[in-house]
């Protein structure tokens, strides 16, 4: 249980780091603002034309008597919008990180240099196009995993009592885990840790990961909050990465992380 508090502490430390580096904060806001505009447009379209899409997809119900036709399609429209909102929450970080790869890469390196004993930061040595390709590829893999979890939890949500109590709580923890994976990927990718190694590393410290990602996922449900918390979340995830890899932040040599690395 201690790790839950430690993880939450890194979330706060990231926000405090950004508060002390306001120029970097303004720089880090740009990708989130761009993503917010895109997602808002998509959700507005879904709200306006979701009913038409449901009607097109359910022609078999055209002859149903009232009020069953309206109730059925109204429920499906609400479910469609809820799924769209859930996917927006799950994918916002991935899309923002992809759009803002150069921004957040620079921000993460600055955090590493600020807290490392020798004032240096790990570098991948890869060209930007390859970093973008790896980030997009890994984000897609994570999106598939998150989508499968979302589908499973959506189905389980119809279970009496459990679906309205236990399942939503599990959903927040799942969201927190995947959010943390996406955020720590910025720092871990620079260290040459592949997706499989990242997932194994995060699973080895689940309470720590949940303590960081679950409150962040809850905060991201509030409109516009994700945009303003994202720079600090990247900074906090970089600090969390150093904790996961047992990297020192004092004056002692940094030990080699106990994670299997693979050449990209």
């Amino acid at each position: 249980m201690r790790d839950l508090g430690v993880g939450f502490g890194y979330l706060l430390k990231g926000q405090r780091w950004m508060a002390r580096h306001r120029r970097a904060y303004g720089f880090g806001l740009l990708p989130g603002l761009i993503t917010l505009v895109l997602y808002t447009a998509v959700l507005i379209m879904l709200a306006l034309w979701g009913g038409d899409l449901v009607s097109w997809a359910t022609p078999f119900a055209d002859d149903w008597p009232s009020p069953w036709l309206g109730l059925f399609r109204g429920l499906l429209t609400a479910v469609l919008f809820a799924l769209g909102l859930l996917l927006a929450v799950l994918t916002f970080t991935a899309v923002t990180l992809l759009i803002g790869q150069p921004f957040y890469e620079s921000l993460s390196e600055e955090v590493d240099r600020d807290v490392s004993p020798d004032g240096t930061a790990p570098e991948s040595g890869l060209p930007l196009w390859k970093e973008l390709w790896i980030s997009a590829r890994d984000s897609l893999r994570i999106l598939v995993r998150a989508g499968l979890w979302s589908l499973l939890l959506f189905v389980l949500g119809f279970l009496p009592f459990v679906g309205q109590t236990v399942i939503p709580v599990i959903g927040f923890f799942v969201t927190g885990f995947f959010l943390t994976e996406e955020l720590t990927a910025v720092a871990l990718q620079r260290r040459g840790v592949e997706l499989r190694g990242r997932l194994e590393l995060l699973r080895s410290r689940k309470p720590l990961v949940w303590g960081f990602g679950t409150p962040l996922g809850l905060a991201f449900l509030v409109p516009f909050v994700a945009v303003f918390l994202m720079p600090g979340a990247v900074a906090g995830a970089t600090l969390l990465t150093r904790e996961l890899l047992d990297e020192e932040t004092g004056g002692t040599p940094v030990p080699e992380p106990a994670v299997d690395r693979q050449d990209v």
Side-chain angles (χ1 to χ4, degrees):
M1 295 297 294
R2 175 182 172 275
D3 266 358
L4 284 172
V6 174
F8 183 68
Y10 278 112
L11 180 59
L12 297 180
K13 287 178 182 178
Q15 302 303 324
R16 287 199 296 265
W17 191 94
M18 291 308 310
R20 297 195 304 269
H21 300 78
R22 296 183 180 181
R23 182 175 297 179
Y25 178 69
F27 187 68
L29 282 177
L30 294 177
L33 290 172
I34 295 171
T35 308
L36 178 65
V37 171
L38 294 176
Y39 272 52
T40 300
V42 172
L43 288 174
I44 289 175
M45 292 173 61
L46 195 59
L48 292 176
W49 294 296
D52 295 335
L53 181 61
V54 168
S55 298
W56 172 81
T58 57
F60 58 86
D62 287 342
D63 298 327
W64 287 14
S66 179
W68 305 115
L69 175 61
L71 289 174
F72 175 69
R73 286 181 171 169
L75 176 62
L76 288 183
T77 301
V79 169
L80 178 64
F81 186 81
L83 283 176
L85 189 60
L86 177 60
L87 284 175
V89 173
L90 289 173
T91 61
F92 184 89
T93 302
V95 174
T96 303
L97 289 174
L98 183 61
I99 292 175
Q101 178 74 19
F103 297 85
Y104 296 137
E105 193 76 26
S106 175
L107 173 59
S108 180
E109 287 183 11
E110 187 174 348
V111 174
D112 265 325
R113 284 193 295 268
D114 185 49
V115 301
S116 65
D118 56 4
T120 63
E123 296 181 4
S124 66
L126 298 174
L128 178 60
W129 70 267
K130 195 163 188 177
E131 289 184 347
L132 289 173
W133 162 249
I134 294 172
S135 178
R137 180 197 65 190
D138 290 349
S139 293
L140 181 60
R141 292 174 178 175
I142 291 297
L143 178 60
V144 170
R145 287 178 167 85
L148 291 175
W149 270 100
S150 299
L151 181 61
L152 174 62
L153 293 174
F154 175 73
V155 173
L156 293 176
F158 289 99
L159 294 174
F161 183 71
V162 175
Q164 294 75 48
T165 54
V166 178
I167 299 304
V169 174
I170 295 175
F172 284 124
F173 279 99
V174 170
T175 299
F177 181 89
F178 286 118
L179 276 176
T180 304
E181 194 288 324
E182 289 288 350
L183 289 164
T184 55
V186 177
L188 287 171
Q189 186 175 308
R190 281 192 291 109
R191 289 161 167 82
V193 183
E194 291 272 3
L195 177 60
R196 180 177 297 180
R198 297 201 299 266
L199 290 174
E200 290 176 356
L201 184 65
L202 294 176
R203 288 170 185 148
S204 69
R205 300 284 300 275
K206 285 181 182 178
L208 181 69
V209 172
W210 290 333
F212 180 87
T214 303
L216 187 63
L218 289 169
F220 278 11
L221 292 175
V222 182
F224 308 115
V225 166
V227 175
F228 299 103
L229 291 184
M230 184 63 77
V234 173
T238 303
L239 298 173
L240 180 67
T241 295
R242 300 183 69 88
E243 165 77 18
L244 288 168
L245 297 177
D246 294 323
E247 294 182 356
E248 298 291 340
T249 57
T252 57
V254 179
E256 185 68 15
V259 177
D260 291 335
R261 300 188 179 188
Q262 302 176 13
D263 292 332
V264 178

